[in-house]
Amino acid sequence: VKAINLTKYPPEDDEGKVEYKLKIVRDNLEKVEKLASQLKYRLAEGCGEAFYIIGITDDGLPEGLNEEELKKSLNILSEACRVVGAKVLRIRERRGRKGKVVELLIRTCREERPPITITVTALGNVDAGKSTLIGVLTTGKLDDGRGSAMKMIARYLHEVESGRTSSIYSRPLGFDVNGRVVNYSLSSPLNEAEIYLNSFKIISFVDLGGHERYFKTTLRGVMSREPDYVMLVIGANAGLLKMGKEHLGISVALRVPLFAVFTKMDLAPPHVAQRNLRDFIRLLKMPGVDKLPLIVKEVDDVVLAARHIQSGRVVPIFSVSNVNGKGLDLLLRFLNLLQPRRRWEENLKKPFKLYVEDVFNVKGVGAVVAGLVLSGSISEGDRALIGPFKDGGWREVRVKSIHLNRVPVHRVSPGQYVTLALSDISFEEIEKGQVVLDNRVKPRSVTSFKALVTILKHPTTIKRGYQAVFHCHSVRSTIAFEYMDKEPLRTGDTSKVELRFVYHPWYVEKGSIFVLREARTKAIGSIIDIKN
Ligand SMILES: Nc1nc2c(ncn2[C@@H]2O[C@H](COP(=O)(O)OP(=O)(O)O)[C@@H](O)[C@H]2O)c(=O)[nH]1
Ligand SMILES: [Mg+2]
């Protein structure tokens, strides 16, 4: 395995949101213009956010600048920022060969753009402190160790929520251009509409709300919301228990980068917290998991953590107390710097696609479906297809209205978790796992497909005819093994297989990653071909 050097900068990339500058000098006015247009490009690449590192060469060598050179460089860069309407934040400083190297975060302050949204799913054992941590982070009010943070959330939600019930829910944490938490300045810190309107970046925390004990809900939380990151929460006094280990396994298997938060630092005796941290680190380094722990102790580590977590190899580890607030500042700084993993804009030109994760019957409105927009966009009044139904058929429906973060909107785009009110169909007819598609596509109702499957765990052997539950996006359905290149299959085996949906056709695509599960069996696979 290739080692990652956390303190070295890789050579500069022409694409992307990171720019290196050794020194910025003013020769004439044109220079600022040129700098501004380059900045605009970097900002566009980062959806309104860019990183500038001053004092290093394009090869990533930290030369460093003296105070005078640095001041001049920053002045010119600030001018360029004014031209494009952006803000500069200094996030990290270190010594180079001849002086300082400064890392900057630049954000556009233009109002029109929607906030960058990053989905973080909280996993970990029941009682680890997940809901409390999310509550404390999103309200800014500390917990009393007896569940007060959650009770407070319930009170706030009573004000803003209209009795929506769902096993999985999300809570937004908004940051403004200056990296300040928007929630804390609101009279109701969980007012989604206000957060959405005032934030530059939103961390949308997904909480399984007590359902983390069920493998299938956990999978749903990780698969259908396509999180950018998993936040593995561990009680410092109890350590990573059995369920937490299972959650770590799921995140690793699905290749979702993760960070860990040890809570209850106020409660755990230091030697117990130390031992549990050591055990967790040992687990991270085990073959098959193969991660690089990064213990975050100071601001410097935060910047490294936010940069390197994206590789999927590095696992930043935080230690906090939800009761005395210790460590939360570093975690908040980290969240403010966290980058979206997926470039959703690339999916904008593709046909509309949304898997139905939830169905509601709303009084006076009718059938409402909720799900993540995976590609394309849809507007109020548009027609769309929904299906497949049990007989393989599809139905045309009309989108009556759209809600995003409880705010009515006319149009939605990829990466947004939305609800669509549909007409020409009734609530009873819709099933979770169906897909809403652009009505110009001719969708296939898939019954069989070829896949590459790896058996993560199975007590005996798998032969033809074996059945398990297939999980992909929000599809949950029984499949049967029709054929396998290698028969029988045992734990650790990887093989090409043919799978068939036993009771119901579904819409799945080549390249989709799925999980198979049955009693004590777990397997992961990817679809390589659709059969008809
Ligand atoms: N002393 C202390 N108690 C905490 C802390 N975080 C959570 N708790 C308490 O631990 C209990 C379980 O927390 P909860 O958020 O429900 O855990 P979840 O099941 O992972 O969502 C609650 O009574 C919290 O008040 C902490 O940092 N310190
Ligand atoms: Mg909870």
Side-chain angles (χ1 to χ4, degrees):
V1 196
K2 226 180 91 200
I4 301 178
N5 186 337
L6 292 177
T7 53
K8 238 169 89 185
Y9 298 102
E12 189 192 50
D13 192 340
D14 286 343
E15 286 174 25
K17 57 196 156 199
V18 186
E19 174 72 32
Y20 293 177
K21 291 274 184 231
L22 183 54
K23 183 160 80 177
I24 310 172
V25 286
R26 184 196 309 267
D27 23 34
N28 50 39
L29 249 177
E30 237 175 321
K31 181 73 192 180
V32 174
E33 288 300 320
K34 207 173 133 213
L35 202 58
S37 51
Q38 187 185 45
L39 177 56
K40 245 184 170 159
Y41 167 75
R42 293 296 188 190
L43 286 169
E45 288 280 280
C47 305
E49 196 169 61
F51 290 87
Y52 270 58
I53 307 176
I54 313 290
I56 64 167
T57 66
D58 287 353
D59 300 328
L61 297 174
E63 283 292 302
L65 299 180
N66 65 37
E67 285 302 331
E68 190 57 29
E69 292 170 315
L70 188 62
K71 207 171 135 203
K72 277 195 183 141
S73 297
L74 292 178
N75 276 341
I76 306 171
L77 187 60
S78 299
E79 260 182 73
C81 283
R82 271 197 296 279
V83 173
V84 302
K87 274 239 156 114
V88 195
L89 303 174
R90 223 157 142 145
I91 53 170
R92 185 169 177 246
E93 222 177 80
R94 50 181 295 220
R95 286 219 64 78
R97 213 165 57 87
K98 289 186 282 191
K100 275 183 186 164
V101 172
V102 173
E103 299 183 24
L104 306 163
L105 169 65
I106 304 183
R107 288 179 169 175
T108 13
C109 7
R110 295 269 150 81
E111 307 271 292
E112 323 84 76
R113 41 173 312 291
I116 297 175
T117 303
I118 298 164
T119 307
V120 173
T121 297
L123 296 181
N125 241 83
V126 170
D127 250 15
K130 297 178 295 298
S131 308
T132 302
L133 178 60
I134 294 172
V136 169
L137 289 171
T138 54
T139 62
K141 309 262 164 58
L142 294 173
D143 186 50
D144 65 354
R146 293 184 305 277
S148 71
M150 278 147 57
K151 280 181 211 127
M152 186 160 50
I153 290 194
R155 204 160 59 231
Y156 283 127
L157 289 178
H158 186 68
E159 294 168 24
V160 294
E161 213 157 2
S162 51
R164 226 180 80 140
T165 52
S166 168
S167 54
I168 303 179
Y169 53 87
S170 57
R171 303 270 174 261
L173 170 69
F175 291 97
D176 68 12
V177 220
N178 298 308
R180 277 191 294 257
V181 177
V182 170
N183 303 45
Y184 306 164
S185 62
L186 304 174
S187 57
S188 183
L190 289 171
N191 185 329
E192 290 190 24
E194 283 289 327
I195 296 168
Y196 184 78
L197 292 172
N198 294 299
S199 297
F200 175 86
K201 182 183 272 177
I202 291 177
I203 306 292
S204 176
F205 285 110
V206 177
D207 188 355
L208 303 184
H211 293 259
E212 58 271 43
R213 62 187 96 230
Y214 309 110
F215 187 85
K216 64 179 187 191
T217 336
T218 308
L219 263 184
R220 217 177 118 207
V222 182
M223 296 202 96
S224 61
R225 296 284 174 109
E226 305 217 355
D228 292 282
Y229 303 96
V230 160
M231 174 168 80
L232 190 62
V233 180
I234 304 161
N237 52 349
L240 188 74
L241 302 173
K242 189 162 166 285
M243 210 187 302
K245 284 184 186 151
E246 188 151 292
H247 292 175
L248 173 65
I250 296 173
S251 315
V252 171
L254 294 175
R255 298 190 188 89
V256 185
L258 74 143
F259 60 97
V261 183
F262 279 80
T263 58
K264 310 195 188 188
M265 290 303 283
D266 59 286
L267 203 65
H271 70 279
V272 174
Q274 269 303 322
R275 190 192 58 216
N276 286 329
L277 177 65
R278 263 201 318 273
D279 287 351
F280 178 60
I281 288 176
R282 196 173 308 129
L283 201 63
L284 286 180
K285 290 181 173 169
M286 262 170 50
V289 182
D290 211 5
K291 302 285 184 199
L292 215 64
L294 170 58
I295 300 176
V296 179
K297 290 208 191 93
E298 49 186 312
V299 178
D300 231 38
D301 305 329
V302 166
V303 181
L304 287 180
R307 184 182 308 144
H308 290 290
I309 186 177
Q310 294 189 70
S311 69
R313 272 287 312 282
V314 174
V315 177
I317 303 173
F318 296 83
S319 295
V320 306
S321 162
N322 291 314
V323 170
N324 65 27
K326 258 199 173 151
L328 292 172
D329 54 334
L330 290 178
L331 182 56
L332 281 167
R333 272 174 191 267
F334 168 76
L335 294 167
N336 174 45
L337 291 181
L338 212 48
Q339 300 297 299
R341 248 190 338 128
R342 210 168 283 103
R343 299 200 45 161
W344 288 106
E345 325 83 77
E346 284 168 6
N347 289 350
L348 186 61
K349 296 235 159 59
K350 297 178 189 163
F352 181 79
K353 181 169 68 192
L354 171 150
Y355 277 92
V356 176
E357 194 192 300
D358 246 318
V359 199
F360 310 98
N361 195 6
V362 180
K363 233 184 178 163
V365 177
V368 171
V369 297
L372 181 74
V373 180
L374 292 175
S375 63
S377 75
I378 202 159
S379 306
E380 233 178 45
D382 281 356
R383 302 201 73 83
L385 288 175
I386 188 166
F389 291 87
K390 204 163 179 186
D391 63 0
W394 293 73
R395 277 273 290 280
E396 201 178 72
V397 290
R398 200 176 63 84
V399 178
K400 279 197 297 194
S401 64
I402 308 175
H403 274 69
L404 172 66
N405 303 308
R406 289 165 228 275
V407 184
V409 292
H410 293 297
R411 197 180 170 74
V412 291
S413 42
Q416 297 176 327
Y417 190 82
V418 301
T419 55
L420 310 174
L422 304 176
S423 63
D424 306 325
I425 194 155
S426 70
F427 162 75
E428 293 81 15
E429 294 171 284
I430 303 174
E431 296 171 69
K432 287 181 195 174
Q434 285 180 327
V435 65
V436 181
L437 289 175
D438 188 308
N439 69 340
R440 286 163 296 189
V441 301
K442 281 237 158 305
R444 280 193 202 170
S445 304
V446 178
T447 38
S448 312
F449 56 90
K450 284 192 181 140
L452 193 64
V453 163
T454 302
I455 312 300
L456 301 174
K457 200 165 114 193
H458 184 68
T460 56
T461 58
I462 297 176
K463 300 190 182 106
R464 267 177 246 207
Y466 177 77
Q467 297 194 352
V469 181
F470 168 93
H471 301 254
C472 180
H473 299 289
S474 57
V475 178
R476 275 212 303 263
S477 195
T478 307
I479 53 93
F481 281 70
E482 292 279 277
Y483 171 83
M484 54 241 310
D485 269 5
K486 182 175 183 220
E487 190 173 359
L489 288 171
R490 293 188 169 83
T491 300
D493 283 347
T494 296
S495 170
K496 268 192 198 166
V497 300
E498 277 177 35
L499 303 176
R500 179 176 54 84
F501 289 119
V502 179
Y503 305 110
H504 194 307
W506 295 103
Y507 181 80
V508 289
E509 293 168 311
K510 207 171 137 173
S512 295
I513 291 182
F514 60 86
V515 169
L516 298 178
R517 166 91 172 163
E518 197 268 326
R520 286 159 62 208
T521 303
K522 269 179 247 167
I524 180 165
S526 66
I527 299 181
I528 48 185
D529 202 9
I530 306 287
K531 288 179 60 182
N532 261 10

